[in-house]
Amino acid sequence: MLEFRKDIFADERDDNLKEVGRPTQRQDILGHVTGASAFYDDHRFAGLLHLKILRSPHAHARIRSIDDAAAQRAPGVKRIIRAADVPVNLNTLLSLIQFGKDDEPSLASDVVRYKGEPILGIVATSERSAREALALVRVSYDPLPAVFDVEEALKPGAVSVNATYPKNTFEYYGKYDHQKLRYGDVDSAFGQCDVIVEDRYQMSPIEHAPTETNGSIAVPDTNGRFVVYTSTQALFFSLDTAAKINAMPSNQLHFIGGTVGGGFGGKVDTLTEPLAILAARLTGAPVRYRLSRHEEMQFGSPRGAERIYVKDGAMRDGRIVARKVTAYFDSGAYTRLSSYAAVKCAAHIPGPYTIPNVYGDVYCVFTNRTPATAMRGFGVTALDFALECQMDKLATAIGMDPIEFRILNAYRDGDMKAHRREAKNCALIECCQVAAEKANWPIREEYRRMSSRRGAASAPHASARPEAPRRQPAPAPVQQRIPYDRAGEPPAPDAPPPRPPAPPPAGSSHGATRFSSVFGTRRR
Amino acid sequence: MRTPVQFSLNGEEVAAFVEGGANLLDALRETVGDLTVKGGCWQGTCGTCTVLIDGAPRLACITLAETCAGRSIETVAGLRRGPDLHPLQTAFIEHFAAQCGYCTPGMLMAAKALLDRKPSPTREEVVEAIGGNICRCTGYEPIIEAILAASRAGDRRSA
C-alpha cells in the first residue's frame, strides 16, 4: 500500500489521485494474454533473409587473414558483409550527445578485443544456411595477451585494450582519466576520528537475460527508405545510431518498436539494427538479425563489474566525518555506457548522508571482457551496496543501532552535499522511522522525533545530538546481525566531545523546489 | 529435404512441410504461422515456447516437428473460447501477471496443463508447474496468484 505523507510531500502530490496506489490494468495486457502483442519478430515478410555473425573466439587477437571463399559458394548464401562494407565502422553510443569518442567497430577488421566480438556477417535464405556457411569461414588469428582485471589494466606496462583509449581509461572532457570528488579534508579527518572502517567490494557482471533476445528486421521500403522492426528500448537513440553507422539521413529510417520482450537496460545498445539495415541495403531484401541466447550472453552487454574500495571515519557519537572511495568500472573492451555509469557513481559517493569530508576517484576502465552497459540504476547500485554494508559495519564498530546511525547521518534539508549542492526534499529519516516501525525494530524516542525538515527537533549536525551511543536493542526475531571482524579500532575511552558543527544554511521550503527545478514552474 | 507432417493445432487439422530436423517452434511460427508461440532460448532452458502436446507441457524449441505427426497441439491462440477469455487469461489480466508479455504465452500453457490435470492445485503445485518457465519482469508472485485465482474461478463455475 502506497502512503504519501502530506507533511513531507505536501506540494508534490495531488490529493485526488485516481491511478497511483490503486490497481490498474495495463493497456497492452489483453494482447499479452492472447498472444496477439506483436514483438519485432512477429512480423513476416516474403523473401526474408537471415543475418548471422562470425564472432571472435579470442579475448584479444590480431586478425591475420579471413578466407570466406567457401562460405560465398555455400547454398543459400546471398551476401557476405565485411568490415569494409560498413559505411562508418567506428561508433560510440553516447556520441549522439557529444560524450566520448568513437571506439567500437560494428565489424572488427584488424584486432578483436573480446570473446564474441563481431567480425563478419553472412546473409542467407535461412538461419541454418547462414550458420552452416559461417562454419566454412577460416580466420587466422595471432592471439594477444589479454587483461581481465580493472586494477591490472591500470598498471604500467599493462596490455592496451582499446585503440581509442590506449591507457585503458575513458577520457573525460578530453583530458581526465577519471572522475574526481573533493570536499573538505579527509586526511586530517581520518587522523582525528575515533573509528575507521575500510573494505573492498566487488560486484560481478550481471546479464539482463530478457526472455526475448535482442534483434531486428530491416525491410526495404520505397524511395530508399527502410522500415525497421526492433526490440530496442530506445527507439530514437537506435534510429540515430543506425543512421550514423550507415551514413544515411535519419529520415530514411522508420523504426517500429515499443513492444519489448524485457529490457532492463540490455536493449539500449543498438546491437542489431545497423547491420540489419546494411544487409537489407546490400541485398535489397528484408533481413532479420536475431541474437541467439548464447550471443545475448556473450555479445549483448551485461551490467558492468565494479570494484569499490571504501574507507570511512566516524566519531563515537555516531557522526561519519570522512569517506574515501576509489571505484573501478569494468567497461569491457569498449565504452557503450560505462563512462556515464562512472559519472553517476561519483555523484553518489556520500550516499544519502551528510559527510563533511569526502574524497572520491572513479575510473572507467577497459579490459578484454564483454562491453558493459546500462542496467537498473547502473553506476549507483553496486556503490550503494558497498556504502550500506559500510553503514552496518560502522554502526557495529561504534556500538550504535544501525537504523539510528542512518537517521543520525541522513541528509537534512539545507545540508551541504559533497557536490556543493544543497540537500532538498529529504525524507530518509522518515523512511527509516517507518521501516523501523513496520519491522518492530525499536528505536529511541529522540530518533522517532527527528525530522528531515529544517528547524525540526534534534537535527544531529545542529545543536541537539544524543549524548552517548548506547548498546544495541534486542534484535527483532526475523533479523540477523552479522558481526564484522574488520570493524577497526575500539573507541578510545575518553574521546574528545564532538566539535560543534557549522550552522546550517537558511532553510528551503519543502517539496516546492523539486518541481520547480525540473519543470520550471510549480504545478498546483 | 522436406517432410510432410499432419497434426491437430487447437482442434484444427493442419498439414505442413517441414525441413528435416526442424523443431516444432519453427514449424508453428514459420510454416504454420502461429506467432503466439515465442522463442526465448532455442535450447530448452527458459520455457517461453511451452505448448501442450496431447495435454502435456512441452518445449517446442527442442521438440522435433516430425515427432508431432498425429498429435494434438495446443497454443495460446486456442485458449480463448470464441469471444470469451479463458479464466487463466482473465486472472492474468486482473492480477497484473504480465509485464513485458513475452513469457506469458508459455506461462499460460504451463498453467493450463496444470489446471486441466488438477483443477484445484495447491500453491506448491502451481510453483512446481511453472518451475520451468522464466519470467524476468514480475518476480512470479502475481503469476502464482493469478493461477490460483483462476483455479478458484473454475471451482465456482463447476459448483
Side-chain angles (χ1 to χ4, degrees):
Chain A
M1 184 57 204
L2 278 173
E3 176 189 334
F4 294 110
R5 292 218 174 150
K6 298 305 289 184
D7 53 333
I8 304 295
F9 297 110
D11 297 324
E12 299 238 348
R13 298 282 174 181
D14 193 316
D15 270 336
N16 301 309
L17 293 178
K18 293 183 177 60
E19 300 294 339
V20 175
R22 290 167 206 208
T24 189
Q25 190 176 309
R26 291 185 63 88
Q27 50 121 7
D28 53 2
I29 201 161
L30 188 60
H32 289 353
V33 301
T34 54
S37 298
F39 295 88
Y40 89 89
D41 197 21
D42 294 334
H43 301 273
R44 285 294 170 270
F45 305 93
L48 180 72
L49 301 179
H50 303 265
L51 172 63
K52 295 299 289 179
I53 300 291
L54 183 76
R55 299 184 181 281
S56 167
H58 297 284
H60 200 191
R62 187 166 297 283
I63 299 173
R64 214 185 307 147
S65 65
I66 301 174
D67 175 6
D68 55 19
Q72 287 193 55
R73 293 191 301 269
V77 171
K78 293 288 184 188
R79 170 85 198 205
I80 293 190
I81 301 175
R82 303 178 187 85
D85 295 318
V86 184
V88 178
N89 196 20
L90 208 57
N91 180 52
T92 193
L93 290 165
L94 292 179
S95 65
L96 295 177
I97 54 168
Q98 286 81 47
F99 187 54
K101 294 185 272 193
D102 290 337
D103 69 340
E104 181 170 9
S106 291
L107 294 173
S109 56
D110 51 347
V111 177
V112 283
R113 301 180 173 89
Y114 67 96
K115 219 182 233 188
E117 178 157 7
I119 296 170
L120 171 147
I122 292 185
V123 190
T125 49
S126 70
E127 268 201 356
R128 182 173 173 168
S129 300
R131 267 200 308 270
E132 286 172 357
L134 279 181
L136 301 173
V137 180
R138 295 284 167 262
V139 184
S140 169
Y141 299 95
D142 285 327
L144 298 169
V147 61
F148 301 107
D149 181 274
V150 281
E151 289 180 86
E152 292 294 324
L154 294 185
K155 284 183 180 163
V159 172
S160 184
V161 175
N162 181 323
T164 307
Y165 300 104
K167 291 176 178 166
N168 292 342
T169 48
F170 181 81
E171 211 174 83
Y172 289 93
Y173 310 109
K175 53 181 168 177
Y176 302 113
D177 67 354
H178 66 287
Q179 290 278 316
K180 255 189 221 300
L181 177 62
R182 299 289 185 270
Y183 184 65
D185 180 353
V186 279
D187 289 331
S188 76
F190 280 131
Q192 292 164 39
C193 67
D194 298 326
V195 171
I196 288 178
V197 173
E198 194 171 2
D199 223 327
R200 169 192 191 268
Y201 301 87
Q202 173 74 45
M203 195 181 68
S204 297
I206 299 172
E207 166 60 34
H208 315 78
T211 45
E212 175 204 55
T213 59
N214 273 273
S216 55
I217 302 174
V219 185
D221 199 1
T222 51
N223 304 328
R225 278 163 52 106
F226 292 86
V227 182
V228 182
Y229 300 84
T230 163
S231 68
T232 185
Q233 274 181 263
L235 203 74
F236 290 94
F237 199 77
S238 292
L239 188 152
D240 286 337
T241 299
K244 177 185 168 187
I245 290 172
N246 281 289
M248 62 201 294
S250 54
N251 66 8
Q252 285 182 9
L253 295 175
H254 178 190
F255 270 47
I256 295 174
T259 302
V260 180
F264 323 113
K267 284 180 179 161
V268 297
D269 286 345
T270 319
L271 295 173
T272 62
E273 298 90 336
L275 290 183
I277 293 164
L278 178 60
R281 271 174 108 174
L282 294 174
T283 59
V287 176
R288 180 178 76 183
Y289 176 11
R290 179 177 80 178
L291 297 190
S292 69
R293 181 56 59 184
H294 183 209
E295 290 175 305
E296 182 74 31
M297 304 290 281
Q298 195 179 51
F299 161 64
S301 335
R303 180 202 286 280
E306 293 169 44
R307 180 169 306 154
I308 300 168
Y309 293 90
V310 191
K311 179 178 177 183
D312 285 335
M315 307 306 291
R316 281 180 61 210
D317 64 14
R319 289 171 304 142
I320 307 170
V321 292
R323 166 166 293 167
K324 188 171 186 176
V325 170
T326 309
Y328 304 93
F329 277 72
D330 191 341
S331 182
Y334 299 107
T335 308
R336 296 195 190 164
L337 295 180
S338 295
S339 52
Y340 172 59
V343 175
K344 284 170 73 183
C345 178
H348 194 64
I349 285 172
Y353 307 108
T354 300
I355 304 174
N357 304 287
V358 182
Y359 182 109
D361 286 334
V362 184
Y363 295 82
C364 171
V365 185
F366 298 104
T367 66
N368 292 108
R369 297 173 74 175
T370 298
T373 192
M375 185 178 189
R376 297 193 154 187
F378 71 131
V380 172
T381 317
L383 180 67
D384 241 349
F385 163 70
L387 296 183
E388 294 306 319
C389 287
Q390 286 285 117
M391 293 303 284
D392 284 345
K393 292 175 191 181
L394 283 164
T396 305
I398 58 178
M400 229 181 131
D401 177 87
I403 293 188
E404 291 181 0
F405 179 62
R406 284 171 171 83
I407 290 175
L408 186 70
N409 286 287
Y411 280 144
R412 268 75 174 163
D413 283 347
D415 281 358
M416 185 53 67
K417 301 187 196 179
H419 319 92
R420 296 163 181 82
R421 291 278 191 280
E422 197 178 290
K424 295 167 183 166
N425 303 87
C426 305
L428 177 61
I429 293 172
E430 288 73 13
C431 287
C432 286
Q433 289 162 341
V434 172
E437 187 189 320
K438 302 239 185 229
N440 281 327
W441 183 285
I443 57 173
R444 283 175 286 173
E445 178 60 27
E446 63 213 89
Y447 286 87
R448 279 202 294 275
R449 284 202 322 268
M450 284 182 188
S451 163
S452 298
R453 305 188 69 168
R454 248 324 116 189
S458 305
H461 287 271
S463 54
R465 124 181 13 263
E467 305 79 30
R470 52 141 211 189
R471 297 212 327 275
Q472 289 171 13
V478 291
Q479 300 276 352
Q480 220 184 349
R481 299 274 174 97
I482 303 154
Y484 298 105
D485 55 6
R486 302 190 55 185
E489 316 96 74
D494 50 357
R499 292 178 301 279
S508 62
S509 69
H510 216 286
T513 337
R514 190 182 295 163
F515 260 127
S516 55
S517 62
V518 175
F519 296 110
T521 53
R522 244 169 94 183
R523 286 203 308 208
R524 275 291 185 188
Chain B
M1 177 64 76
R2 290 181 185 239
T3 315
V5 183
Q6 200 170 344
F7 52 82
S8 152
L9 177 62
N10 299 319
E12 303 286 333
E13 284 300 311
V14 297
F17 284 93
V18 298
E19 289 280 347
N23 60 50
L24 179 62
L25 176 61
D26 280 348
L28 289 173
R29 285 181 60 87
E30 313 301 335
T31 312
V32 178
D34 183 349
L35 294 169
T36 65
V37 191
K38 311 295 178 196
C41 69
W42 305 280
Q43 57 191 24
T45 54
C46 73
T48 302
C49 66
T50 302
V51 298
L52 305 192
I53 301 180
D54 293 338
R58 292 287 178 260
L59 299 172
C61 76
I62 52 166
T63 301
L64 276 176
E66 292 167 59
T67 65
C68 298
R71 306 279 194 110
S72 166
I73 294 168
E74 291 172 69
T75 69
V76 161
L79 209 49
R80 281 175 97 135
R81 289 151 186 180
D84 297 328
L85 295 177
H86 187 279
L88 274 167
Q89 291 173 314
T90 309
F92 267 55
I93 291 175
E94 285 172 357
H95 288 80
F96 217 103
Q99 191 171 316
C100 85
Y102 201 77
C103 75
T104 311
M107 204 63 90
L108 282 165
M109 296 320 286
K112 180 176 189 291
L114 172 69
L115 295 191
D116 285 352
R117 183 169 53 83
K118 182 137 201 214
S120 299
T122 64
R123 185 186 163 85
E124 287 66 36
E125 286 165 331
V126 170
V127 170
E128 175 67 25
I130 61 166
N133 293 65
I134 289 175
C135 170
R136 293 287 287 156
C137 302
T138 64
Y140 302 101
E141 285 299 324
I143 298 174
I144 296 166
E145 289 305 318
I147 297 170
L148 288 169
S151 83
R152 288 192 294 272
D155 288 348
R156 277 200 303 279
R157 257 201 322 282
S158 56

